[in-house]
Amino acid sequence: MTITAFKALHQRCQTEHLAQHGTPLAERQEDSFDLTLYAVEGFYAETWRSRGEEQILFIHVFQKPAGLGEYLARVQLPANL
């Protein structure tokens, strides 16, 4: 599925597509939200939930690696590498 086709889906269908075809990569917290980053067929999707809640409030979709910055800053490599 292309990013354009994914964006055209209703959020419920986007959520289903992520569950079936997305690969969870990382999680982080921002303010009162829990965010999960997924890799999906050539693009990334980031789900936003209120902390402790299951319902997805928003799905942010992007392709540019610059969108990964908040996640990459948290990567800790072992000292012996």
Side-chain angles (χ1 to χ4, degrees):
M1 174 175 294
T2 66
I3 190 170
T4 304
F6 184 85
K7 286 181 176 182
L9 296 174
H10 184 278
Q11 183 173 308
R12 179 180 36 81
C13 294
Q14 290 177 344
T15 301
E16 291 171 2
H17 191 80
L18 287 177
Q20 293 175 359
H21 304 285
T23 301
L25 299 177
E27 295 179 350
R28 68 185 181 95
Q29 294 180 337
E30 185 170 316
D31 298 325
S32 62
F33 300 100
D34 291 327
L35 288 71
T36 304
L37 177 68
Y38 293 87
V40 190
E41 304 162 18
F43 60 92
Y44 299 99
E46 183 180 59
T47 60
W48 288 65
R49 293 179 162 100
S50 290
R51 187 156 300 137
E53 298 293 327
E54 287 299 316
Q55 181 181 0
I56 294 174
L57 300 174
F58 178 74
I59 300 176
H60 174 233
V61 182
F62 61 96
Q63 285 182 301
K64 295 184 180 181
L68 300 172
E70 289 294 324
Y71 293 95
L72 296 177
R74 291 168 167 68
V75 173
Q76 297 288 331
L77 296 176
N80 61 351
L81 288 181

